[in-house]
Coordinates of all heavy atoms in Angstrom, one line a residue:
K958 N 12.5 -9.6 -16.5 CA 13.5 -8.6 -16.9 C 14.7 -8.7 -16.1 O 15.8 -8.6 -16.6 CB 12.9 -7.2 -16.8 CG 13.8 -6.0 -17.2 CD 13.1 -4.7 -17.1 CE 14.1 -3.5 -17.4 NZ 14.6 -3.6 -18.8
Y959 N 14.6 -8.9 -14.8 CA 15.7 -8.9 -13.9 C 16.1 -10.4 -13.4 O 16.9 -10.6 -12.5 CB 15.5 -8.1 -12.6 CG 15.3 -6.6 -13.0 CD1 14.0 -6.0 -13.1 CD2 16.4 -5.8 -13.4 CE1 13.9 -4.7 -13.5 CE2 16.3 -4.5 -13.7 CZ 15.0 -3.9 -13.8 OH 14.8 -2.6 -14.2
N960 N 15.5 -11.3 -14.1 CA 15.8 -12.7 -13.9 C 15.7 -13.1 -12.4 O 16.5 -13.7 -11.8 CB 17.2 -13.1 -14.4 CG 17.5 -14.6 -14.4 OD1 16.5 -15.4 -14.7 ND2 18.7 -15.0 -14.3
V961 N 14.5 -12.7 -11.8 CA 14.2 -12.9 -10.4 C 13.7 -14.3 -10.2 O 12.8 -14.8 -10.9 CB 13.2 -11.9 -9.9 CG1 12.8 -12.3 -8.5 CG2 13.8 -10.5 -9.9
T962 N 14.4 -15.1 -9.4 CA 14.0 -16.5 -9.1 C 13.3 -16.6 -7.7 O 12.8 -17.6 -7.4 CB 15.2 -17.4 -9.2 OG1 16.2 -17.0 -8.3 CG2 15.7 -17.4 -10.6
K963 N 13.4 -15.6 -6.9 CA 12.9 -15.6 -5.6 C 11.3 -15.7 -5.7 O 10.7 -14.9 -6.4 CB 13.2 -14.3 -4.8 CG 12.9 -14.4 -3.3 CD 13.5 -13.2 -2.6 CE 13.1 -13.3 -1.1 NZ 13.7 -12.1 -0.3
P964 N 10.7 -16.7 -5.0 CA 9.3 -16.9 -5.2 C 8.5 -15.8 -4.5 O 8.7 -15.4 -3.4 CB 9.0 -18.3 -4.6 CG 10.1 -18.4 -3.5 CD 11.3 -17.7 -4.1
I965 N 7.5 -15.3 -5.3 CA 6.4 -14.4 -4.7 C 5.1 -14.8 -5.4 O 5.0 -14.7 -6.6 CB 6.8 -13.0 -4.9 CG1 5.7 -12.1 -4.3 CG2 7.1 -12.6 -6.3 CD1 6.0 -10.6 -4.2
D966 N 4.2 -15.3 -4.6 CA 2.9 -15.8 -5.2 C 1.9 -14.7 -5.5 O 1.9 -13.6 -4.9 CB 2.3 -16.8 -4.2 CG 2.0 -16.2 -2.9 OD1 2.9 -15.9 -2.1 OD2 0.8 -16.0 -2.6
D967 N 1.0 -15.1 -6.4 CA 0.0 -14.1 -6.8 C -0.9 -13.7 -5.7 O -1.4 -12.5 -5.7 CB -0.8 -14.7 -8.0 CG 0.0 -14.6 -9.3 OD1 1.2 -14.2 -9.3 OD2 -0.5 -15.1 -10.3
M968 N -1.2 -14.6 -4.8 CA -2.2 -14.2 -3.7 C -1.5 -13.2 -2.8 O -2.2 -12.2 -2.3 CB -2.5 -15.5 -2.9 CG -3.5 -15.2 -1.7 SD -5.0 -14.3 -2.2 CE -5.8 -15.5 -3.2
S969 N -0.2 -13.3 -2.5 CA 0.4 -12.3 -1.7 C 0.4 -10.9 -2.5 O 0.1 -9.9 -1.8 CB 1.9 -12.6 -1.5 OG 2.0 -13.8 -0.7
L970 N 0.7 -10.9 -3.8 CA 0.6 -9.7 -4.5 C -0.8 -9.1 -4.5 O -1.0 -7.9 -4.4 CB 1.0 -10.0 -6.0 CG 2.5 -10.3 -6.2 CD1 2.8 -10.7 -7.6 CD2 3.4 -9.1 -5.8
H971 N -1.8 -10.0 -4.6 CA -3.2 -9.6 -4.6 C -3.5 -8.8 -3.3 O -4.1 -7.8 -3.3 CB -4.1 -10.8 -4.8 CG -5.6 -10.5 -4.6 ND1 -6.4 -9.9 -5.5 CD2 -6.4 -10.7 -3.5 CE1 -7.6 -9.8 -5.1 NE2 -7.6 -10.2 -3.9
V972 N -3.1 -9.4 -2.2 CA -3.4 -8.8 -0.9 C -2.6 -7.5 -0.7 O -3.2 -6.5 -0.2 CB -3.0 -9.8 0.3 CG1 -3.0 -9.1 1.6 CG2 -3.9 -11.0 0.3
F973 N -1.4 -7.5 -1.2 CA -0.6 -6.2 -1.1 C -1.2 -5.1 -1.9 O -1.4 -4.0 -1.4 CB 0.8 -6.4 -1.6 CG 1.6 -7.5 -0.8 CD1 2.7 -8.2 -1.4 CD2 1.4 -7.7 0.6 CE1 3.4 -9.1 -0.7 CE2 2.1 -8.7 1.3 CZ 3.1 -9.4 0.7
A974 N -1.6 -5.4 -3.1 CA -2.2 -4.4 -4.0 C -3.5 -3.9 -3.4 O -3.8 -2.7 -3.4 CB -2.5 -5.0 -5.3
N975 N -4.4 -4.8 -2.9 CA -5.6 -4.4 -2.2 C -5.4 -3.5 -1.0 O -6.1 -2.6 -0.8 CB -6.4 -5.6 -1.8 CG -7.3 -6.1 -2.9 OD1 -8.4 -5.7 -3.1 ND2 -6.9 -7.1 -3.7
T976 N -4.3 -3.8 -0.3 CA -4.0 -3.0 0.9 C -3.7 -1.6 0.5 O -4.1 -0.6 1.2 CB -2.8 -3.6 1.7 OG1 -3.2 -5.0 2.0 CG2 -2.5 -2.8 2.9
V977 N -2.9 -1.4 -0.6 CA -2.6 0.0 -1.0 C -3.9 0.8 -1.4 O -4.0 1.9 -1.0 CB -1.7 -0.1 -2.3 CG1 -1.5 1.3 -2.9 CG2 -0.3 -0.7 -1.9
I978 N -4.8 0.2 -2.2 CA -6.0 0.9 -2.5 C -6.8 1.2 -1.3 O -7.4 2.3 -1.2 CB -6.8 0.0 -3.6 CG1 -6.0 -0.1 -4.9 CG2 -8.2 0.6 -3.8 CD1 -5.7 1.2 -5.5
N979 N -6.9 0.2 -0.4 CA -7.7 0.4 0.8 C -7.1 1.5 1.7 O -7.8 2.2 2.4 CB -8.0 -0.9 1.5 CG -9.1 -1.7 0.9 OD1 -10.3 -1.4 1.2 ND2 -8.8 -2.7 0.1
A980 N -5.8 1.6 1.6 CA -5.2 2.7 2.4 C -5.7 4.1 2.0 O -6.0 4.9 2.8 CB -3.6 2.6 2.3
Y981 N -5.8 4.3 0.7 CA -6.3 5.6 0.2 C -7.8 5.7 0.7 O -8.2 6.8 1.1 CB -6.3 5.6 -1.3 CG -4.9 6.0 -1.9 CD1 -4.1 5.0 -2.4 CD2 -4.4 7.3 -1.9 CE1 -2.8 5.3 -2.9 CE2 -3.2 7.6 -2.4 CZ -2.4 6.6 -2.9 OH -1.1 6.9 -3.4
A982 N -8.5 4.6 0.6 CA -9.9 4.7 1.1 C -10.0 5.1 2.6 O -10.9 5.9 3.0 CB -10.6 3.4 0.9
E983 N -9.0 4.6 3.4 CA -9.0 4.9 4.8 C -8.9 6.4 5.1 O -9.4 6.9 6.1 CB -7.9 4.1 5.5 CG -8.1 2.6 5.5 CD -9.3 2.1 6.3 OE1 -9.8 2.8 7.2 OE2 -9.8 1.0 6.0
V984 N -8.2 7.0 4.2 CA -8.0 8.5 4.4 C -9.4 9.2 4.4 O -9.6 10.1 5.3 CB -7.2 9.1 3.2 CG1 -7.2 10.6 3.2 CG2 -5.7 8.6 3.3
I985 N -10.3 8.8 3.6 CA -11.6 9.3 3.5 C -12.5 8.7 4.6 O -13.2 9.5 5.4 CB -12.3 9.0 2.2 CG1 -11.4 9.7 1.0 CG2 -13.7 9.6 2.1 CD1 -11.3 11.2 1.1
L986 N -12.4 7.4 4.8 CA -13.3 6.8 5.8 C -13.0 7.2 7.2 O -13.9 7.2 8.0 CB -13.2 5.2 5.6 CG -13.6 4.7 4.3 CD1 -13.4 3.2 4.2 CD2 -15.1 4.9 4.0
H987 N -11.8 7.5 7.5 CA -11.4 7.9 8.8 C -11.3 9.4 9.0 O -10.8 10.0 10.0 CB -10.1 7.3 9.3 CG -10.2 5.8 9.6 ND1 -10.6 5.4 10.9 CD2 -10.1 4.7 8.8 CE1 -10.7 4.1 10.9 NE2 -10.4 3.6 9.6
N988 N -11.7 10.1 7.9 CA -11.8 11.6 7.9 C -10.5 12.2 8.4 O -10.5 13.2 9.2 CB -12.9 12.1 8.8 CG -13.3 13.5 8.6 OD1 -13.2 14.0 7.5 ND2 -13.8 14.2 9.6
M989 N -9.4 11.7 7.8 CA -8.1 12.3 8.2 C -8.0 13.7 7.7 O -8.6 14.1 6.6 CB -6.9 11.5 7.5 CG -6.8 10.1 8.0 SD -5.4 9.2 7.2 CE -5.7 7.5 7.7
D990 N -7.2 14.5 8.3 CA -6.9 15.9 7.8 C -5.7 15.7 6.8 O -5.1 14.6 6.7 CB -6.6 16.9 8.8 CG -5.4 16.6 9.7 OD1 -4.5 16.0 9.3 OD2 -5.5 17.0 10.9
M991 N -5.3 16.8 6.1 CA -4.3 16.6 5.1 C -3.0 16.2 5.7 O -2.3 15.4 5.1 CB -4.2 18.0 4.3 CG -3.3 17.9 3.1 SD -4.0 16.9 1.9 CE -2.6 16.7 0.8
A992 N -2.6 16.8 6.8 CA -1.3 16.5 7.4 C -1.2 15.0 7.8 O -0.2 14.3 7.6 CB -1.0 17.4 8.6
E993 N -2.3 14.5 8.4 CA -2.4 13.1 8.8 C -2.3 12.2 7.6 O -1.6 11.2 7.6 CB -3.7 12.8 9.5 CG -3.8 13.4 10.9 CD -5.1 13.3 11.5 OE1 -6.1 13.3 10.8 OE2 -5.2 13.2 12.8
A994 N -3.0 12.6 6.5 CA -3.0 11.8 5.3 C -1.7 11.7 4.6 O -1.3 10.6 4.1 CB -4.1 12.3 4.3
E995 N -1.0 12.8 4.6 CA 0.3 12.9 4.0 C 1.3 11.9 4.7 O 2.1 11.2 4.1 CB 0.9 14.3 3.9 CG 0.2 15.2 2.9 CD 0.8 15.0 1.5 OE1 1.7 14.1 1.3 OE2 0.3 15.6 0.6
I996 N 1.3 12.0 6.0 CA 2.2 11.1 6.8 C 1.8 9.6 6.6 O 2.6 8.7 6.3 CB 2.1 11.4 8.3 CG1 2.7 12.8 8.5 CG2 2.9 10.4 9.1 CD1 2.5 13.3 9.9
F997 N 0.5 9.3 6.7 CA 0.0 8.0 6.5 C 0.3 7.4 5.1 O 0.9 6.3 5.0 CB -1.5 8.0 6.7 CG -2.2 6.7 6.4 CD1 -2.0 5.6 7.2 CD2 -3.1 6.6 5.4 CE1 -2.6 4.4 7.0 CE2 -3.8 5.4 5.1 CZ -3.5 4.3 5.9
M998 N 0.1 8.1 4.1 CA 0.3 7.6 2.7 C 1.8 7.6 2.4 O 2.2 6.7 1.7 CB -0.5 8.5 1.7 CG -2.0 8.3 1.7 SD -2.5 6.5 1.7 CE -1.7 5.9 0.3
S999 N 2.6 8.5 3.0 CA 4.0 8.4 2.8 C 4.6 7.1 3.4 O 5.4 6.4 2.8 CB 4.7 9.6 3.4 OG 4.4 10.8 2.7
N1000 N 4.0 6.7 4.6 CA 4.4 5.5 5.2 C 4.0 4.3 4.4 O 4.8 3.3 4.2 CB 3.8 5.4 6.6 CG 4.4 6.3 7.6 OD1 5.5 6.8 7.4 ND2 3.7 6.6 8.7
I1001 N 2.8 4.3 3.8 CA 2.3 3.2 3.0 C 3.2 3.1 1.8 O 3.6 2.0 1.4 CB 0.9 3.4 2.6 CG1 -0.1 3.4 3.8 CG2 0.4 2.5 1.5 CD1 -0.2 2.0 4.4
Q1002 N 3.5 4.2 1.1 CA 4.3 4.2 -0.1 C 5.7 3.6 0.2 O 6.2 2.7 -0.5 CB 4.4 5.6 -0.7 CG 5.2 5.6 -2.0 CD 6.7 5.6 -1.9 OE1 7.2 6.2 -0.9 NE2 7.4 5.0 -2.8
E1003 N 6.3 4.1 1.2 CA 7.7 3.6 1.6 C 7.7 2.1 1.9 O 8.6 1.4 1.5 CB 8.3 4.4 2.7 CG 9.7 4.1 3.1 CD 10.3 5.0 4.1 OE1 9.6 6.0 4.5 OE2 11.4 4.8 4.5
F1004 N 6.7 1.7 2.7 CA 6.6 0.3 3.2 C 6.5 -0.6 2.0 O 7.2 -1.6 1.9 CB 5.4 0.1 4.1 CG 5.3 -1.3 4.6 CD1 6.0 -1.7 5.7 CD2 4.4 -2.1 4.0 CE1 5.8 -3.0 6.2 CE2 4.2 -3.4 4.5 CZ 4.9 -3.9 5.6

């Protein structure tokens, strides 16, 4: 759509996407409280 020619490989995208999903899991696995989770997930989203 935006005629992007800059290379970005599928394996990188795969790792990035997995990291996002696992970040949500870490909220539960590390028993974060709501305030900690909001800061953590806001950082993940922005990054």
